[in-house]
Amino acid sequence: MTAAFQNPVGETLTDNAAWATAQPRLSVLIPTFRDDPGALLKALDEPGVHAEIVLLDDGGGDEALARRMASRIERLRLPARLITLSSNEGRAKGRNRLARHARGRHLLFLDSDMLPDPIGFLARWTALAESDDTAVAFGGFTLDQTPRRPEHELHRAMALRSDCTPAPERARAPEKHVFTSNLLVRRDVFETIGFDEGFAGWGWEDVEWAMRVARRHPIAHIDNSATHLGLDTAPALAAKYEQSAANFARVVKSHFEVVSGYPSYRVAKALKPLPLRATWRPMLKSLALAEAVPTPLRAFAMRLYRAALYSDAV
C-alpha cells in the first residue's frame, strides 16, 4: 500500500511500502511535467540494487496521469516516493527540490522521457558510485530505442550530430556535454553547488551548473547510456531555442571565458554584425520548419536560427 500526505511546504507526497525503512545508496531523481514516466519506472525496477526512486510531478495538473503515477509507485519493488505540486516551478527549482528528498549518498538525475539502454543500468551506476565515490559523471545519451517518426526527423538529425556522442569525445569538453537526462552527482557536491534557480524555461541550466562544478571537481564521462524517447517536432524545437536565448545570455554573462570557446558562441558572434537581422532570421526559421526541404539543410538552417537568436547576447 502507498501512504499519501501533504507536508508543510505544500507538496503532496505518496510513498510506497518500501520507502519508510529503506537505506539507499543511490537516489534516482525524475522530474516530469505532463509526461508519463511509466516505461522508465518499469525499466528502473531492478532487484537487488540499493537505490530509491523519487518522482516529481511538477504541477502538470493532469489528475488521471497523477493517479497512474501513484499506482506505478505503489507497484515498484524499489523504495519510491511521488512528489506532486499544484503549480509548475520549472527545471532548476524542481531538481533542487528532488535532491532535498533524496537519501542516498549519490543522486542520479534522469529525465522522464529517458529509457536505459544496457541491462543492469542502475547496478552500473551504483557500482561506479561505490567503487570510486565519483563526484560527477554523465552516462551518455542515445536514440537507439527512439521510434522513427517523420515529424521528429529534424530533431533526430540535430541530436545525433551534437548530443549522441561517446564518452571519449564528451571528455574533451566535460562541462559542455553534461545533461540532467542521465547525470550522477555525489550528494555533498550538489549540496554545495545546486542548480541556479534564476534560469527560466528551457536550456543551459545543466551546462551552466557543470561550468561551476568543473572549477572544483572532475567531471567523468562513461558509456552507461539512456535513450531519449521524447523528440520534438520542428516547431516545438524552435520554440525551445527561442526560450533558451535568455538563458544563453545569462551563461555568457557569468561564464564568458568558457562559453566564448563554444561553436554556438562563435557563430552567434559572426552573425551579429550582419544587417537586416529581423528580415533574414525568420527566413531561417521558415526554412528549418519546411518539411519538403532535405533534412540536412533544415538542420543547418535551424542551427543558424539558434545562433541568430543567441547573437543578441554576444
Side-chain angles (χ1 to χ4, degrees):
M1 293 181 62
T2 57
F5 56 95
Q6 185 149 8
N7 69 12
V9 295
E11 306 163 321
T12 299
L13 305 179
T14 304
D15 299 341
N16 72 357
W19 176 268
T21 59
Q23 296 180 319
R25 299 170 190 168
L26 179 70
S27 297
V28 185
L29 308 181
I30 307 168
T32 186
F33 179 71
R34 297 176 184 170
D35 284 327
D36 189 339
L40 174 59
L41 293 175
K42 181 178 179 180
L44 290 175
D45 202 18
E46 299 178 15
V49 177
H50 297 289
E52 67 181 3
I53 295 174
V54 188
L55 176 66
L56 173 68
D57 178 1
D58 192 7
D62 186 331
E63 293 184 5
L65 176 58
R67 287 193 296 271
R68 289 200 302 274
M69 288 191 286
S71 177
R72 290 187 176 108
I73 290 292
E74 181 179 25
R75 296 197 302 269
L76 289 177
R77 292 169 291 180
L78 290 180
R81 163 170 284 182
L82 170 64
I83 308 164
T84 304
L85 302 181
S86 58
S87 59
N88 177 258
E89 65 180 3
R91 294 163 60 88
K93 287 184 179 181
R95 288 182 173 87
N96 287 342
R97 182 183 293 272
L98 279 164
R100 291 194 291 271
H101 285 264
R103 300 174 295 182
R105 176 167 170 76
H106 281 79
L107 317 176
L108 177 63
F109 290 95
L110 278 174
D111 285 347
S112 61
D113 58 359
M114 303 297 286
L115 193 62
D117 288 328
I119 296 172
F121 173 81
L122 275 191
R124 291 185 184 195
W125 275 126
T126 304
L128 177 68
E130 293 181 348
S131 62
D132 296 336
D133 201 24
T134 302
V136 180
F138 181 65
F141 177 114
T142 77
L143 301 181
D144 291 353
Q145 303 175 74
T146 309
R148 295 292 294 260
R149 296 193 177 115
E151 65 270 25
H152 295 155
E153 283 304 298
L154 175 62
H155 194 182
R156 174 180 286 274
M158 297 186 70
L160 287 172
R161 176 186 171 97
S162 61
D163 299 332
C164 302
T165 52
E169 184 175 338
R170 288 184 261 122
R172 294 175 193 154
E175 85 293 332
K176 180 182 177 184
H177 296 284
V178 165
F179 307 105
T180 48
S181 54
N182 186 17
L183 177 67
L184 182 78
V185 187
R186 201 171 63 217
R187 171 182 290 279
D188 63 294
V189 174
F190 195 80
E191 287 177 346
T192 306
I193 310 171
F195 286 103
D196 180 353
E197 296 186 359
F199 282 89
W202 182 88
W204 289 96
E205 79 286 344
D206 40 15
V207 176
E208 190 277 337
W209 174 85
M211 290 175 181
R212 287 183 283 124
V213 168
R215 296 170 181 166
R216 301 173 59 179
H217 303 280
I219 298 176
H221 282 273
I222 69 167
D223 287 316
N224 191 27
S225 64
T227 288
H228 182 207
L229 298 175
L231 293 180
D232 291 311
T233 64
L237 187 62
K240 284 185 172 179
Y241 289 152
E242 289 158 4
Q243 286 182 32
S244 75
N247 288 347
F248 178 77
R250 189 177 180 87
V251 175
V252 170
K253 184 177 179 180
S254 301
H255 305 279
F256 175 78
E257 72 287 353
V258 179
V259 77
S260 60
Y262 290 179
S264 53
Y265 179 92
R266 294 198 298 267
V267 176
K269 190 73 172 178
L271 293 177
K272 188 176 183 68
L274 298 182
L276 303 174
R277 197 182 324 162
T279 300
W280 54 260
R281 187 159 63 184
M283 294 172 64
L284 287 172
K285 180 179 179 179
S286 296
L287 181 60
L289 299 185
E291 294 185 2
V293 173
T295 299
L297 180 56
R298 295 178 68 199
F300 179 71
M302 186 65 90
R303 288 193 294 272
L304 280 183
Y305 178 61
R306 178 179 58 193
L309 292 167
Y310 290 177
S311 68
D312 292 337
V314 303

